[in-house]
Amino acid sequence: MTDKKARSLRLIYGICLSVLTVIVALLFIIQSQTIFWQGGGIAGSYTRDIVGEKLLQILAPVLLWLVAVVAGAIIWKIYPEKQSKLCSSFSEREKLERIKGKLPQKLDEDCYLKDITALNNKELYRKVVWGAVFAVCLFATIMCAIYLLNPANYSKAGSAEFNPTADTIKMLPHTLPYLFAAFACLIGATIYEEINAKKQSELVKGLIKAGAKNGLKLSAEKQNTTPCKYKFIENLISVCKKHQKTLLLAVRCAILVAGITLIVLDITLLGGKGISDVLLKAINICTECIGLG
């Protein structure tokens, strides 16, 4: 088998194993929730007999997942991934940024303007694609939040109709399509990023060879031909790259503050009931599931 076919085989296997892992994890979560709420949400729900019965229902996909893991080990043993060269440790985008630094400073001949324009257009297409992906992810987040934050979509606690498992199952068709669409767009954009970088690299290499052969240099005016209406995006990306560490720290602090705020709200408004429920479920899972409770 050629290296290209072996890479394709490993890629297909990785995708299939990832999907199967998610399915098995969801089955475990659903079965765990079913046991808990069928037992009335009280201590003693996780008995050996009930847990064994529910695990037996998902035995086939679990065994299939184990077989897939073993098959993956065999595939990697028969078709091992070859050691990458020094340059291949970089992504196509990183390689492009490295060779762009070798571009001559001026190329005044009009015959090179076509390649320069094509290079700038491909960079513009890349930004448009990522802008569209951002819009899709934002839309998916908003649609999921609209459903998840609506109390009417959940059964009331303490009532006869209270069934969190049913609420969770009912939630899936209202949220998973948006999440899958967002992930699909991200995966597609990532693949396009590599393809786009390869095409830009070919153009840059051609310009470097032309400049070295003819002694021509790329002028600053022709190198920066981004339309004025995209200057804001250009400046925003530049600022984000410059203050990347600060922005990352700010996001982490915001998440930490949000978590502390939610905990304080739970204690002040609900008397800590949410924390107590989570602690009780953790105790039940850790003790009763293995027959200690």
Side-chain angles (χ1 to χ4, degrees):
M1 182 180 290
T2 62
D3 292 341
K4 185 176 181 180
K5 290 183 178 180
R7 285 196 301 269
S8 300
L9 176 63
R10 289 194 294 267
L11 176 62
I12 294 172
Y13 166 79
I15 294 173
C16 294
L17 182 63
S18 301
V19 173
L20 186 58
T21 302
V22 173
I23 293 174
V24 171
L26 288 175
L27 290 175
F28 271 110
I29 293 172
I30 292 173
Q31 294 296 78
S32 177
Q33 287 288 310
T34 302
I35 294 172
F36 185 77
W37 293 110
Q38 281 183 351
I42 59 176
S45 301
Y46 293 93
T47 63
R48 290 184 178 181
D49 295 336
I50 295 177
V51 171
E53 178 186 353
K54 295 299 181 182
L55 289 180
L56 189 61
Q57 294 176 357
I58 61 172
L59 180 61
V62 171
L63 290 178
L64 181 61
W65 179 81
L66 292 174
V67 171
V69 172
V70 175
I74 296 174
I75 291 174
W76 253 259
K77 187 67 176 179
I78 299 177
Y79 305 109
E81 192 170 2
K82 292 186 176 180
Q83 292 291 335
S84 301
K85 297 180 181 179
L86 181 62
C87 294
S88 60
S89 60
F90 299 98
S91 66
E92 291 296 331
R93 177 59 50 182
E94 291 172 327
K95 293 178 185 177
L96 174 62
E97 295 299 328
R98 289 166 68 91
I99 64 175
K100 269 187 175 181
K102 300 179 181 179
L103 274 172
Q105 295 180 351
K106 286 187 178 181
L107 269 174
D108 296 327
E109 297 293 334
D110 291 337
C111 59
Y112 299 103
L113 182 60
K114 181 179 179 180
D115 290 338
I116 298 169
T117 304
L119 182 65
N120 290 325
N121 286 339
K122 291 186 182 302
E123 183 64 20
L124 179 61
Y125 297 155
R126 169 180 168 266
K127 294 176 181 177
V128 171
V129 167
W130 280 109
V133 170
F134 174 77
V136 171
C137 292
L138 181 62
F139 176 75
T141 303
I142 293 173
M143 296 304 295
C144 291
I146 290 174
Y147 182 86
L148 294 174
L149 298 178
N150 186 2
N153 295 323
Y154 304 95
S155 56
K156 294 183 179 180
S159 64
E161 295 81 13
F162 184 58
N163 190 343
T165 303
D167 292 339
T168 303
I169 295 174
K170 186 177 70 172
M171 174 189 69
L172 296 180
H174 294 88
T175 56
L176 285 184
Y178 298 110
L179 296 177
F180 283 145
F183 276 110
C185 289
L186 286 171
I187 293 171
T190 303
I191 295 173
Y192 175 78
E193 176 84 8
E194 293 294 300
I195 297 174
N196 182 279
K198 285 183 180 180
K199 293 182 178 180
Q200 286 195 54
S201 297
E202 293 174 0
L203 292 171
V204 172
K205 289 176 181 178
L207 289 171
I208 292 174
K209 289 180 180 179
K213 182 178 180 180
N214 302 321
L216 301 176
K217 296 182 178 180
L218 185 62
S219 63
E221 293 79 14
K222 290 183 180 180
Q223 186 179 8
N224 187 13
T225 57
T226 306
C228 294
K229 60 181 180 179
Y230 296 104
K231 284 294 183 182
F232 173 74
I233 299 176
E234 192 82 29
N235 295 333
L236 181 62
I237 294 174
S238 180
V239 171
C240 291
K241 286 183 178 180
K242 185 177 180 180
H243 303 283
Q244 183 176 2
K245 292 184 178 179
T246 305
L247 289 174
L248 183 60
L249 179 61
V251 171
R252 289 174 176 173
C253 291
I255 294 173
L256 177 62
V257 170
I260 295 174
T261 303
L262 291 175
I263 292 173
V264 171
L265 288 175
D266 176 70
I267 295 174
T268 55
L269 299 180
L270 301 177
K273 186 176 182 301
I275 299 176
S276 300
D277 291 342
V278 173
L279 179 60
L280 178 61
K281 291 179 182 179
I283 293 172
N284 289 336
I285 291 174
C286 292
T287 58
E288 295 176 9
C289 188
I290 56 177
L292 297 179

